[in-house]
Amino acid sequence: MDPFADSFRRLGRAEKQLYSLRDEMQKWLNRKGYTFSIRRNAKTGQYVAKIGEIQAIPEDWAITATEVVHHLRAALDNAIHHLSIAHSGQAIKGSEFPVFQNKKLFGDQGKRKIRGVSPACQAIIEAAQPFQYHAPDDHKLWVLHELSNSEK
């Protein structure tokens, strides 16, 4: 079995949910900016036309977006779990994919999270950190990290 199968399944699930959400959002945006209805008043026999406000954004969009974030973050953590097993022969308690904006914090805290991973993989993970880029706040890993933490 592919050791990264869990990560790929989570990525696939996130992708399906993201495309589904995108399609729902596009349909919602393509609607008219208002609701319109004509009903016949049963008592008077007259027809009544109503023009209403834009409907609220569906509440389940937030849940779907949260699930996408969860699956993306979990895919990274699953990968670290399997990289730890591949290198050290066992799952390492407390391991996860580290995401840091600060190099010192990565050295103090982040490296501990990947201690069971091979040195070559650790170097790749460090090179991908937000602190390595000119705008760490806008780095995709940092955005994912912040979204993941805000949903908990």
Side-chain angles (χ1 to χ4, degrees):
M1 183 174 121
D2 180 359
F4 297 104
D6 291 341
S7 293
F8 287 122
R9 275 195 293 276
R10 287 197 180 269
L11 289 173
R13 180 70 179 146
E15 183 179 46
K16 283 180 185 176
Q17 289 174 303
L18 188 58
Y19 287 143
S20 175
L21 180 59
R22 182 199 63 192
D23 292 345
E24 288 179 34
M25 293 172 85
Q26 193 60 53
K27 286 177 189 172
W28 189 87
L29 290 169
N30 288 339
R31 297 179 317 113
K32 292 181 181 177
Y34 55 87
T35 59
F36 180 78
S37 65
I38 298 177
R39 295 204 176 136
R40 184 170 181 257
N41 184 318
K43 292 181 182 178
T44 65
Q46 294 178 325
Y47 287 90
V48 178
K50 289 186 179 183
I51 298 176
E53 296 179 20
I54 296 175
Q55 295 177 358
I57 292 173
E59 291 178 8
D60 62 335
W61 287 4
I63 294 168
T64 302
T66 299
E67 289 172 350
V68 169
V69 168
H70 170 75
H71 287 304
L72 292 173
R73 179 63 193 170
L76 291 171
D77 293 338
N78 287 152
I80 295 301
H81 173 81
H82 289 292
L83 287 169
S84 295
I85 292 170
H87 180 68
S88 65
Q90 62 184 1
I92 306 296
K93 187 174 181 167
S95 66
E96 66 179 74
F97 192 96
V99 180
F100 288 87
Q101 286 187 308
N102 179 291
K103 186 173 184 162
K104 181 174 178 355
L105 286 177
F106 179 81
D108 294 345
Q109 300 171 23
K111 287 192 176 190
R112 180 176 34 89
K113 296 177 181 195
I114 54 173
R115 65 190 178 279
V117 174
S118 73
C121 289
Q122 287 183 26
I124 292 168
I125 292 165
E126 184 171 356
Q129 291 299 305
F131 68 78
Q132 301 283 14
Y133 294 85
H134 67 282
D137 285 345
D138 297 332
H139 190 277
K140 291 174 183 170
L141 281 176
W142 186 255
V143 172
L144 177 62
H145 174 77
E146 290 291 287
L147 289 170
S148 178
N149 286 341
S150 71
E151 76 168 69
K152 294 176 184 170

